[in-house]
Amino acid sequence: PAHDPAKLAAARAAVALVQDGMKLGLGTGSTASIMVEVLAERVKAEGLSLRCAATSKATADLAESLGLRIESLDQIGWLDMTIDGADEVDPDLHLIKGGGGAHLREKIVAAASDRMVVIADPGKVVDQLGQFPLPVEVLQFGFETTRTLIRRALSDLGLGDHDVLQRLKGDDYWVTDEGNWILDLHLQAIPDAPALAHALAAIPGVVEQGLFLGMCELAIIGKPDGTVVKLNR
Ligand code: DER
């Protein structure tokens, strides 16, 4: 199937950064999936030897189906580079991720990497984070308590009363690879992302939230004409 040309351009530019022998983190989502396909083609064409850790079962399955060798993060240990998508990228390369429900493992893999490279189409570039609903992974135990504590934290931060909606997959609740649920916070704008990240992390039932602050070192924004813009922090 023909891929979105902007996503394909970004994916190609990121794969061009991969060197033989690298230990890589493979992201999740539609852009990262295109990257996995392009990477698999390059590995086959050039006989590269890579060690890859996936950020989701979906990415692991796709990668293995294309002949890439997937190992657990613990088997590999530390990674040279993680290539992943994003839902929003702000001017400081702070991100919102989690649209694909994988931000917990994505953040762990990114944290285990020397560098995190984000690949995105122009629609992901924003002046301020928050238009995209912020995903928060929460335990199923005490779910309503956690939702109440999240609402209280938003109010304490002066973020007003916004929808804090449980993510659905069809008629069911979305369940992550770790068996947790996801709440999407419809905030419209997040003026102080560090304060919000800090407040959410303090809530016991919150496992991880989709703000990636200071983790992305290079964002490759693909254009429909096949060119890319590279944003460095
Ligand atoms: O869920 C995720 O974190 C994905 O990487 C998401 O942020 C980007 O997905 P997309 O490439 O399909 O837009």
Side-chain angles (χ1 to χ4, degrees):
H3 289 312
D4 172 315
K7 294 183 178 183
L8 180 58
R12 283 187 169 140
V15 169
L17 299 174
V18 174
Q19 295 164 24
D20 193 18
M22 266 192 173
K23 296 177 282 185
L24 286 180
L26 304 180
T28 294
S30 63
T31 312
S33 294
I34 296 171
M35 179 276 298
V36 169
E37 286 181 33
V38 171
L39 178 66
E41 284 163 17
R42 191 177 159 211
V43 166
K44 216 166 278 160
E46 300 177 28
L48 299 183
S49 169
L50 302 175
R51 301 183 70 188
C52 299
T55 54
S56 64
K57 292 172 183 168
T59 292
D61 292 347
L62 173 66
E64 288 181 329
S65 75
L66 296 170
L68 288 172
R69 178 171 152 221
I70 294 293
E71 298 172 70
S72 74
L73 180 58
D74 284 341
Q75 280 170 315
I76 302 176
W78 202 259
L79 305 174
D80 298 299
M81 175 165 63
T82 283
I83 306 172
D84 203 346
D87 295 296
E88 288 185 340
V89 183
D90 84 356
D92 298 314
L93 301 193
H94 299 320
L95 314 173
I96 284 185
K97 284 179 59 52
H103 68 271
L104 172 59
R105 291 191 179 185
E106 288 173 330
K107 196 179 277 190
I108 294 168
V109 170
S113 307
D114 285 338
R115 68 188 298 212
M116 181 191 192
V117 176
V118 160
I119 50 179
D121 58 272
K124 307 293 182 54
V125 179
V126 299
D127 291 330
Q128 184 181 63
L129 298 178
Q131 186 64 39
F132 187 90
L134 177 65
V136 180
E137 182 157 343
V138 298
L139 290 179
Q140 295 192 25
F141 174 84
F143 172 76
E144 286 304 340
T145 300
T146 301
R147 181 162 25 198
T148 300
L149 293 175
I150 288 173
R151 283 208 169 101
R152 191 178 296 172
L154 295 178
S155 169
D156 292 349
L157 287 167
L159 284 171
D161 185 25
H162 296 276
D163 286 337
V164 178
L165 304 179
Q166 185 162 4
R167 185 176 298 186
L168 298 174
K169 184 167 191 173
D171 298 335
D172 297 326
Y173 295 138
W174 176 287
V175 177
T176 69
D177 284 351
E178 295 297 328
N180 300 318
W181 281 339
I182 290 183
L183 281 168
D184 289 311
L185 279 56
H186 294 254
L187 303 174
Q188 278 81 45
I190 302 173
D192 186 346
L196 177 57
H198 208 76
L200 291 173
I203 298 171
V206 169
V207 177
E208 189 52 80
Q209 40 76 26
L211 290 167
F212 284 52
L213 306 180
M215 298 186 78
C216 171
E217 178 243 356
L218 167 65
I220 301 175
I221 310 302
K223 302 285 183 188
D225 67 1
T227 62
V228 299
V229 170
K230 290 188 175 181
L231 307 174
N232 288 286
R233 186 152 48 94

